[in-house]
Amino acid sequence: MLLFGLFASEGCKKPEDDLGLSVLDPADTLGTIRTDTVSIVSWTRPGDSVQTSGLSANEIGSYLDPQFGKVSTGTATQLRLSVNSVGPADASLICDSLVLSLAYSSVDPIYGSSTAQSIRVYRLDEDLTTDSIYRSNRAPVWINQDLVKDPTRQFAPFPLDSPMVGGVRVTPQLRIQLDTVLGNALLEQWGGANVADNTAFLAFFKGLYVVPDDQGQPDGGVWRFNLLSGASKMTLYYHSDTQPVTTPFDFVIGSGSVHYTHVVFDHGAATVPGVPQALSDITLGQQTTYIQSMGGLRPEIRFPHLDRYANTNLHTLAKAELIISVNNDDADSYPPPSQLFALRKDAEGVDRFLPDQDATIGGLYDATAKEYRFNMTRWVQGIINGTYANTGLSFVPAGTGITVNRAALAGPQNPTNPMKLVLTFTTY
């Protein structure tokens, strides 16, 4: 009913207001007429879950975003044998240490602050399969027993520091000491059927779920990891009576293992008014609308009278440019998405790129102007011509499955930098 009210209120305007015929350049000598008064309706809705498996990065961490509420991300991953037929069996094998190493992404490894967090590691209790797609809203099935050796320890991210391991500087990574009980349980499999090959091993040891402990950490961030890196692995250090020198064995991740990110949003935990209210009252989207990666929030935009240009003398476009300003002042702490993609609906209601996507559509964030610009001439012309249905647009961030970037976007009635669709028509 609220949405109907928005469209109905627009429909009460005079046709010339609807069409934006109050042009900016009525006597343009170049043979064009330009207008930026096209009617726009915008609102915010919860986003759709996104694929997070099979991607270049995964996320771990949590924080309380004052404007967007609580964000918590964890990563589930398989581990694989680095060699088959591990062994031989030896009853004197003893685990010296067991370390889970996660290589930081070289691109934007921290979103939010670098405050230390409590991290929990659990053993998966379900099979992950390479022929399945895992999405952001899918919670893993895990055994509720924390494997971190020191559960009181806080981990702080150092994505630019190369730690010293065995006297050698290695790739920047988060290193989590796990309980040697697990290490010894793995050593008991040496020389047995469970470590004969990866098919057998994955049936025995399904993987790990690494997730922040949300208790007591309102300030924090989300950390991005590259699990495709050879530095991302679990290393078992052990010795025996016959071989007293510590020996390492790697359980690798890499491209052969399934790994995906699970995210939980709590927009109601926001301490600054905005997002919770926008989700309950869509009329507020005329002032501000919101976007959030990882399937958090999606802005919807409609141009309810755009197709009526077909019945005027202004129906041939030279250019159609949508301008959307960023409307929040905390971009240093929470950077907006680097790029937005505009999506239309096809006849079956499926999201599709605009026909301009294969041209120079833009959509990159301009940090100086604090705005996004989209050249969508083909799509708008198609609406005027009747080639495309006037379904409006929704927007998703680039890299939405590997980031949690978000932004507040100025709506069409924002008093400072309103959202505009600028149309330039040819008059000859």
Side-chain angles (χ1 to χ4, degrees), residues 130-356:
T130 55
D131 57 355
S132 296
I133 292 176
Y134 295 90
R135 303 183 71 82
S136 55
N137 63 344
R138 186 188 185 282
V141 180
W142 42 273
I143 300 169
N144 190 19
Q145 180 179 356
D146 185 14
L147 299 175
V148 176
K149 182 177 181 180
D150 180 6
T152 66
R153 181 182 173 185
Q154 297 269 303
F155 294 88
F158 296 99
L160 301 179
D161 292 347
S162 299
M164 187 77 72
V165 178
V168 178
R169 292 288 180 186
V170 296
T171 299
Q173 58 192 249
L174 176 67
R175 296 179 61 82
I176 305 173
Q177 289 271 353
L178 302 182
D179 198 323
T180 55
V181 172
L182 174 60
N184 286 316
L186 292 169
L187 288 173
E188 291 175 1
Q189 309 306 314
W190 256 225
N194 287 334
V195 291
D197 56 34
N198 275 306
T199 300
F201 180 70
L202 289 173
F204 165 71
F205 191 85
K206 304 178 188 305
L208 297 174
Y209 181 42
V210 188
V211 64
D213 181 356
D214 291 336
Q215 302 300 318
Q217 48 186 49
D219 179 35
V222 167
W223 313 334
R224 184 183 301 171
F225 296 96
N226 177 11
L227 299 193
L228 300 177
S229 168
S232 294
K233 58 188 177 179
M234 182 174 72
T235 303
L236 172 59
Y237 299 90
Y238 67 98
H239 73 275
S240 68
D241 290 346
T242 58
Q243 188 173 354
V245 177
T246 296
T247 300
F249 181 85
D250 289 336
F251 299 88
V252 298
I253 302 177
S255 59
S257 295
V258 177
H259 40 88
Y260 77 97
T261 302
H262 171 237
V263 62
V264 176
F265 295 105
D266 182 2
H267 297 118
T271 57
V272 176
V275 171
Q277 291 76 12
L279 290 172
S280 61
D281 180 359
I282 64 171
T283 64
L284 298 176
Q286 292 299 92
Q287 295 286 327
T288 307
T289 186
Y290 301 92
I291 191 166
Q292 188 174 33
S293 299
M294 204 70 75
L297 296 168
R298 181 185 282 205
E300 296 282 346
I301 297 177
R302 301 291 184 266
F303 310 96
H305 310 295
L306 194 57
D307 47 1
R308 297 186 188 177
Y309 280 103
N311 299 320
T312 73
N313 63 337
L314 300 178
H315 54 80
T316 303
L317 278 171
K319 185 177 183 180
E321 185 176 45
L322 180 66
I323 304 171
I324 305 177
S325 296
V326 171
N327 196 38
N328 51 281
D329 56 6
D330 56 2
D332 291 337
S333 300
Y334 303 104
S338 60
Q339 184 178 13
L340 301 184
F341 291 116
L343 304 174
R344 63 180 178 89
K345 295 290 186 184
D346 66 13
E348 286 73 40
V350 177
D351 286 333
R352 301 293 184 190
F353 285 123
L354 303 193
D356 307 87

Side-chain angles (χ1 to χ4, degrees), residues 17-39:
D17 293 330
D18 294 340
L19 291 173
L21 297 183
S22 176
V23 294
L24 301 180
D25 304 309
D28 194 327
T29 58
L30 297 178
T32 61
I33 291 179
R34 179 172 174 265
T35 176
D36 66 355
T37 59
V38 175
S39 296

